[in-house]
Amino acid sequence: MKYNRILLKLSGEALMGQQQYGIDAARLMQYAEEIKAAAATGTQVAVVIGGGNIFRGVQAEAFGLDRVQGDYMGMLATVINSMALQSALEKLGVNTRLLSGVTIQRVCEPYIRRRAMRHLEKGRVVIFGAGIGSPYFTTDSAASLRAIEIEADVVLKGTRVDGIYTADPEKDPSAVRFPEITFDEVMEKNLNVMDMTAFTLCKENNLPIIVFDMNKGGNLQRLLDGESVGTLVSMHGSKTVAADANHGSLQPAAGEGSEEQA
Ligand code: UDP
């Protein structure tokens, strides 16, 4: 088992599937199946899910609403997604607990670190709702912070793309994917992995991040099996691989280094 404890970050937007808004039932069940399989390996699984498919705080200003109010609306959106994921997991027979950064006592437990860790030790999938419970943050920051608090081995950022590229592979055919990259290089190259607060938390606490395509079935399992999937951001190592048409190739690009950096 490569990891004892993981924190999986899923974006709310990814939950929309092909829709423009809300939750796509098929996508939700797919995520639940993948999480079930991950937990069945004995890896302890914590999940943070975003709320962008329902509401983001920045939208509030466009509506002429107060930003802080908007952020709380966004946090509540993450609770809706968390509840949906919890139900989907329970339908598959997975034991779960939903812990919220904003107290909503009828539907979830309050976030208490020790309780979260105890649930994980008992093999329950723990879902953290409502981000960190404060406005002006994102669920990426919540994922980083909770991962550090619960001593997770890695943050797995499940997205719609299969990793971090030198440029946008849809616009630049010469773009190559980094299977591994250092925190420093991400900053030097100004690459977009997570927002700065979330990224800095990981960097300063030496918590590796893996960015990977969660929509490709089996990817989460492959990661847990130790396969190179997506891009690993850590203190060590940097290499790139050529992108294929599906942006999924693992072939080393000619002349591209596989050398380790200190
Ligand atoms: N949010 C917040 N504090 C947090 C986490 C989230 O204020 O700790 C709000 C913020 O407005 C954010 C929204 O909740 O835009 C939804 O989260 P996010 O944008 O991270 O969702 P994702 O992009 O992952 O779907």
Side-chain angles (χ1 to χ4, degrees), residues 115-137:
R115 202 183 273 186
M117 292 172 84
R118 189 80 190 107
H119 288 320
L120 288 165
E121 283 159 10
K122 287 184 173 172
R124 296 168 182 150
V125 171
V126 171
I127 306 168
F128 295 119
I132 63 172
S134 296
Y136 294 103
F137 287 93

PDB file of all heavy atoms in Angstrom, residues 115-137:
ATOM      1  N   ARG A 115     -11.610  13.677  16.239  1.00  0.00           N
ATOM      2  CA  ARG A 115     -12.724  12.818  15.835  1.00  0.00           C
ATOM      3  C   ARG A 115     -12.536  12.353  14.392  1.00  0.00           C
ATOM      4  O   ARG A 115     -12.764  11.195  14.059  1.00  0.00           O
ATOM      5  CB  ARG A 115     -14.032  13.601  15.973  1.00  0.00           C
ATOM      6  CG  ARG A 115     -15.225  12.698  16.089  1.00  0.00           C
ATOM      7  CD  ARG A 115     -16.495  13.494  16.162  1.00  0.00           C
ATOM      8  NE  ARG A 115     -16.847  13.889  17.505  1.00  0.00           N
ATOM      9  CZ  ARG A 115     -17.971  14.501  17.813  1.00  0.00           C
ATOM     10  NH1 ARG A 115     -18.829  14.811  16.869  1.00  0.00           N
ATOM     11  NH2 ARG A 115     -18.239  14.820  19.039  1.00  0.00           N
ATOM     12  N   ALA A 116     -12.090  13.284  13.568  1.00  0.00           N
ATOM     13  CA  ALA A 116     -11.844  12.933  12.154  1.00  0.00           C
ATOM     14  C   ALA A 116     -10.824  11.809  12.065  1.00  0.00           C
ATOM     15  O   ALA A 116     -11.003  10.827  11.331  1.00  0.00           O
ATOM     16  CB  ALA A 116     -11.338  14.164  11.399  1.00  0.00           C
ATOM     17  N   MET A 117      -9.768  11.931  12.846  1.00  0.00           N
ATOM     18  CA  MET A 117      -8.703  10.917  12.785  1.00  0.00           C
ATOM     19  C   MET A 117      -9.198   9.565  13.314  1.00  0.00           C
ATOM     20  O   MET A 117      -8.851   8.517  12.785  1.00  0.00           O
ATOM     21  CB  MET A 117      -7.463  11.414  13.525  1.00  0.00           C
ATOM     22  CG  MET A 117      -6.828  12.585  12.772  1.00  0.00           C
ATOM     23  SD  MET A 117      -5.511  13.399  13.625  1.00  0.00           S
ATOM     24  CE  MET A 117      -4.114  12.378  13.208  1.00  0.00           C
ATOM     25  N   ARG A 118     -10.014   9.623  14.312  1.00  0.00           N
ATOM     26  CA  ARG A 118     -10.559   8.368  14.872  1.00  0.00           C
ATOM     27  C   ARG A 118     -11.451   7.670  13.833  1.00  0.00           C
ATOM     28  O   ARG A 118     -11.382   6.458  13.664  1.00  0.00           O
ATOM     29  CB  ARG A 118     -11.360   8.700  16.137  1.00  0.00           C
ATOM     30  CG  ARG A 118     -11.790   7.510  16.915  1.00  0.00           C
ATOM     31  CD  ARG A 118     -10.670   6.951  17.795  1.00  0.00           C
ATOM     32  NE  ARG A 118     -11.074   5.664  18.344  1.00  0.00           N
ATOM     33  CZ  ARG A 118     -10.589   4.489  17.958  1.00  0.00           C
ATOM     34  NH1 ARG A 118      -9.666   4.423  17.021  1.00  0.00           N
ATOM     35  NH2 ARG A 118     -11.017   3.379  18.493  1.00  0.00           N
ATOM     36  N   HIS A 119     -12.295   8.467  13.159  1.00  0.00           N
ATOM     37  CA  HIS A 119     -13.144   7.890  12.105  1.00  0.00           C
ATOM     38  C   HIS A 119     -12.274   7.214  11.038  1.00  0.00           C
ATOM     39  O   HIS A 119     -12.583   6.123  10.571  1.00  0.00           O
ATOM     40  CB  HIS A 119     -13.983   8.971  11.425  1.00  0.00           C
ATOM     41  CG  HIS A 119     -15.098   9.515  12.255  1.00  0.00           C
ATOM     42  ND1 HIS A 119     -15.889   8.737  13.062  1.00  0.00           N
ATOM     43  CD2 HIS A 119     -15.575  10.789  12.394  1.00  0.00           C
ATOM     44  CE1 HIS A 119     -16.798   9.497  13.664  1.00  0.00           C
ATOM     45  NE2 HIS A 119     -16.621  10.744  13.274  1.00  0.00           N
ATOM     46  N   LEU A 120     -11.215   7.896  10.666  1.00  0.00           N
ATOM     47  CA  LEU A 120     -10.341   7.340   9.614  1.00  0.00           C
ATOM     48  C   LEU A 120      -9.705   6.036  10.087  1.00  0.00           C
ATOM     49  O   LEU A 120      -9.653   5.059   9.338  1.00  0.00           O
ATOM     50  CB  LEU A 120      -9.260   8.365   9.239  1.00  0.00           C
ATOM     51  CG  LEU A 120      -9.764   9.578   8.446  1.00  0.00           C
ATOM     52  CD1 LEU A 120      -8.733  10.706   8.444  1.00  0.00           C
ATOM     53  CD2 LEU A 120     -10.108   9.175   7.014  1.00  0.00           C
ATOM     54  N   GLU A 121      -9.259   6.045  11.329  1.00  0.00           N
ATOM     55  CA  GLU A 121      -8.646   4.817  11.875  1.00  0.00           C
ATOM     56  C   GLU A 121      -9.628   3.649  11.862  1.00  0.00           C
ATOM     57  O   GLU A 121      -9.242   2.503  11.720  1.00  0.00           O
ATOM     58  CB  GLU A 121      -8.160   5.068  13.304  1.00  0.00           C
ATOM     59  CG  GLU A 121      -6.856   5.859  13.342  1.00  0.00           C
ATOM     60  CD  GLU A 121      -6.615   6.547  14.692  1.00  0.00           C
ATOM     61  OE1 GLU A 121      -7.357   6.261  15.664  1.00  0.00           O
ATOM     62  OE2 GLU A 121      -5.704   7.372  14.760  1.00  0.00           O
ATOM     63  N   LYS A 122     -10.899   3.989  12.011  1.00  0.00           N
ATOM     64  CA  LYS A 122     -11.926   2.925  12.001  1.00  0.00           C
ATOM     65  C   LYS A 122     -12.322   2.534  10.580  1.00  0.00           C
ATOM     66  O   LYS A 122     -13.252   1.745  10.402  1.00  0.00           O
ATOM     67  CB  LYS A 122     -13.161   3.389  12.763  1.00  0.00           C
ATOM     68  CG  LYS A 122     -12.942   3.427  14.270  1.00  0.00           C
ATOM     69  CD  LYS A 122     -14.242   3.797  14.967  1.00  0.00           C
ATOM     70  CE  LYS A 122     -14.100   3.669  16.470  1.00  0.00           C
ATOM     71  NZ  LYS A 122     -15.266   4.192  17.176  1.00  0.00           N
ATOM     72  N   GLY A 123     -11.697   3.118   9.590  1.00  0.00           N
ATOM     73  CA  GLY A 123     -11.963   2.749   8.200  1.00  0.00           C
ATOM     74  C   GLY A 123     -13.138   3.482   7.576  1.00  0.00           C
ATOM     75  O   GLY A 123     -13.592   3.114   6.489  1.00  0.00           O
ATOM     76  N   ARG A 124     -13.618   4.522   8.242  1.00  0.00           N
ATOM     77  CA  ARG A 124     -14.717   5.298   7.656  1.00  0.00           C
ATOM     78  C   ARG A 124     -14.165   6.330   6.684  1.00  0.00           C
ATOM     79  O   ARG A 124     -13.121   6.928   6.949  1.00  0.00           O
ATOM     80  CB  ARG A 124     -15.485   6.032   8.757  1.00  0.00           C
ATOM     81  CG  ARG A 124     -16.162   5.077   9.708  1.00  0.00           C
ATOM     82  CD  ARG A 124     -16.674   5.795  10.944  1.00  0.00           C
ATOM     83  NE  ARG A 124     -17.282   4.836  11.856  1.00  0.00           N
ATOM     84  CZ  ARG A 124     -17.295   4.977  13.172  1.00  0.00           C
ATOM     85  NH1 ARG A 124     -16.771   6.039  13.752  1.00  0.00           N
ATOM     86  NH2 ARG A 124     -17.860   4.053  13.917  1.00  0.00           N
ATOM     87  N   VAL A 125     -14.894   6.534   5.603  1.00  0.00           N
ATOM     88  CA  VAL A 125     -14.524   7.617   4.686  1.00  0.00           C
ATOM     89  C   VAL A 125     -15.023   8.921   5.314  1.00  0.00           C
ATOM     90  O   VAL A 125     -16.198   9.052   5.644  1.00  0.00           O
ATOM     91  CB  VAL A 125     -15.148   7.410   3.289  1.00  0.00           C
ATOM     92  CG1 VAL A 125     -14.947   8.646   2.417  1.00  0.00           C
ATOM     93  CG2 VAL A 125     -14.535   6.172   2.620  1.00  0.00           C
ATOM     94  N   VAL A 126     -14.105   9.846   5.514  1.00  0.00           N
ATOM     95  CA  VAL A 126     -14.461  11.118   6.146  1.00  0.00           C
ATOM     96  C   VAL A 126     -14.558  12.207   5.083  1.00  0.00           C
ATOM     97  O   VAL A 126     -13.623  12.405   4.302  1.00  0.00           O
ATOM     98  CB  VAL A 126     -13.402  11.511   7.210  1.00  0.00           C
ATOM     99  CG1 VAL A 126     -13.632  12.931   7.709  1.00  0.00           C
ATOM    100  CG2 VAL A 126     -13.445  10.523   8.373  1.00  0.00           C
ATOM    101  N   ILE A 127     -15.702  12.882   5.052  1.00  0.00           N
ATOM    102  CA  ILE A 127     -15.895  13.982   4.103  1.00  0.00           C
ATOM    103  C   ILE A 127     -15.890  15.279   4.898  1.00  0.00           C
ATOM    104  O   ILE A 127     -16.617  15.406   5.894  1.00  0.00           O
ATOM    105  CB  ILE A 127     -17.236  13.828   3.348  1.00  0.00           C
ATOM    106  CG1 ILE A 127     -17.325  12.445   2.677  1.00  0.00           C
ATOM    107  CG2 ILE A 127     -17.396  14.933   2.306  1.00  0.00           C
ATOM    108  CD1 ILE A 127     -18.720  12.094   2.165  1.00  0.00           C
ATOM    109  N   PHE A 128     -15.056  16.207   4.468  1.00  0.00           N
ATOM    110  CA  PHE A 128     -15.002  17.512   5.139  1.00  0.00           C
ATOM    111  C   PHE A 128     -15.845  18.497   4.337  1.00  0.00           C
ATOM    112  O   PHE A 128     -15.501  18.828   3.193  1.00  0.00           O
ATOM    113  CB  PHE A 128     -13.563  18.018   5.219  1.00  0.00           C
ATOM    114  CG  PHE A 128     -12.664  17.164   6.078  1.00  0.00           C
ATOM    115  CD1 PHE A 128     -11.551  16.549   5.541  1.00  0.00           C
ATOM    116  CD2 PHE A 128     -12.927  17.000   7.429  1.00  0.00           C
ATOM    117  CE1 PHE A 128     -10.711  15.776   6.324  1.00  0.00           C
ATOM    118  CE2 PHE A 128     -12.094  16.216   8.224  1.00  0.00           C
ATOM    119  CZ  PHE A 128     -10.986  15.604   7.672  1.00  0.00           C
ATOM    120  N   GLY A 129     -16.918  18.981   4.927  1.00  0.00           N
ATOM    121  CA  GLY A 129     -17.780  19.952   4.257  1.00  0.00           C
ATOM    122  C   GLY A 129     -17.492  21.360   4.742  1.00  0.00           C
ATOM    123  O   GLY A 129     -16.818  21.573   5.749  1.00  0.00           O
ATOM    124  N   ALA A 130     -17.998  22.340   3.998  1.00  0.00           N
ATOM    125  CA  ALA A 130     -17.939  23.768   4.356  1.00  0.00           C
ATOM    126  C   ALA A 130     -16.524  24.330   4.402  1.00  0.00           C
ATOM    127  O   ALA A 130     -16.262  25.294   5.123  1.00  0.00           O
ATOM    128  CB  ALA A 130     -18.659  24.036   5.673  1.00  0.00           C
ATOM    129  N   GLY A 131     -15.637  23.747   3.649  1.00  0.00           N
ATOM    130  CA  GLY A 131     -14.273  24.270   3.582  1.00  0.00           C
ATOM    131  C   GLY A 131     -13.643  24.350   4.948  1.00  0.00           C
ATOM    132  O   GLY A 131     -13.826  23.449   5.772  1.00  0.00           O
ATOM    133  N   ILE A 132     -12.927  25.463   5.191  1.00  0.00           N
ATOM    134  CA  ILE A 132     -12.364  25.611   6.533  1.00  0.00           C
ATOM    135  C   ILE A 132     -13.322  26.393   7.443  1.00  0.00           C
ATOM    136  O   ILE A 132     -13.013  26.636   8.601  1.00  0.00           O
ATOM    137  CB  ILE A 132     -10.971  26.268   6.529  1.00  0.00           C
ATOM    138  CG1 ILE A 132     -11.028  27.694   5.992  1.00  0.00           C
ATOM    139  CG2 ILE A 132      -9.975  25.462   5.728  1.00  0.00           C
ATOM    140  CD1 ILE A 132      -9.696  28.413   6.170  1.00  0.00           C
ATOM    141  N   GLY A 133     -14.437  26.795   6.868  1.00  0.00           N
ATOM    142  CA  GLY A 133     -15.454  27.474   7.675  1.00  0.00           C
ATOM    143  C   GLY A 133     -15.288  28.980   7.729  1.00  0.00           C
ATOM    144  O   GLY A 133     -15.996  29.650   8.482  1.00  0.00           O
ATOM    145  N   SER A 134     -14.364  29.516   6.947  1.00  0.00           N
ATOM    146  CA  SER A 134     -14.140  30.966   6.938  1.00  0.00           C
ATOM    147  C   SER A 134     -14.199  31.498   5.515  1.00  0.00           C
ATOM    148  O   SER A 134     -13.743  30.823   4.584  1.00  0.00           O
ATOM    149  CB  SER A 134     -12.763  31.304   7.513  1.00  0.00           C
ATOM    150  OG  SER A 134     -12.700  30.924   8.853  1.00  0.00           O
ATOM    151  N   PRO A 135     -14.721  32.725   5.364  1.00  0.00           N
ATOM    152  CA  PRO A 135     -14.779  33.303   4.015  1.00  0.00           C
ATOM    153  C   PRO A 135     -13.390  33.657   3.491  1.00  0.00           C
ATOM    154  O   PRO A 135     -12.419  33.669   4.248  1.00  0.00           O
ATOM    155  CB  PRO A 135     -15.624  34.564   4.212  1.00  0.00           C
ATOM    156  CG  PRO A 135     -15.510  34.896   5.655  1.00  0.00           C
ATOM    157  CD  PRO A 135     -15.296  33.602   6.387  1.00  0.00           C
ATOM    158  N   TYR A 136     -13.327  33.957   2.218  1.00  0.00           N
ATOM    159  CA  TYR A 136     -12.082  34.324   1.513  1.00  0.00           C
ATOM    160  C   TYR A 136     -11.098  33.159   1.388  1.00  0.00           C
ATOM    161  O   TYR A 136      -9.918  33.367   1.144  1.00  0.00           O
ATOM    162  CB  TYR A 136     -11.391  35.544   2.156  1.00  0.00           C
ATOM    163  CG  TYR A 136     -12.208  36.798   2.007  1.00  0.00           C
ATOM    164  CD1 TYR A 136     -12.933  37.301   3.077  1.00  0.00           C
ATOM    165  CD2 TYR A 136     -12.284  37.464   0.786  1.00  0.00           C
ATOM    166  CE1 TYR A 136     -13.721  38.440   2.939  1.00  0.00           C
ATOM    167  CE2 TYR A 136     -13.057  38.607   0.640  1.00  0.00           C
ATOM    168  CZ  TYR A 136     -13.767  39.084   1.720  1.00  0.00           C
ATOM    169  OH  TYR A 136     -14.549  40.206   1.576  1.00  0.00           O
ATOM    170  N   PHE A 137     -11.590  31.954   1.588  1.00  0.00           N
ATOM    171  CA  PHE A 137     -10.750  30.776   1.318  1.00  0.00           C
ATOM    172  C   PHE A 137     -11.432  29.925   0.253  1.00  0.00           C
ATOM    173  O   PHE A 137     -12.590  30.159  -0.105  1.00  0.00           O
ATOM    174  CB  PHE A 137     -10.536  29.954   2.597  1.00  0.00           C
ATOM    175  CG  PHE A 137      -9.587  30.615   3.558  1.00  0.00           C
ATOM    176  CD1 PHE A 137     -10.068  31.452   4.563  1.00  0.00           C
ATOM    177  CD2 PHE A 137      -8.216  30.426   3.441  1.00  0.00           C
ATOM    178  CE1 PHE A 137      -9.193  32.092   5.432  1.00  0.00           C
ATOM    179  CE2 PHE A 137      -7.344  31.057   4.315  1.00  0.00           C
ATOM    180  CZ  PHE A 137      -7.837  31.889   5.313  1.00  0.00           C
TER     181      PHE A 137
END
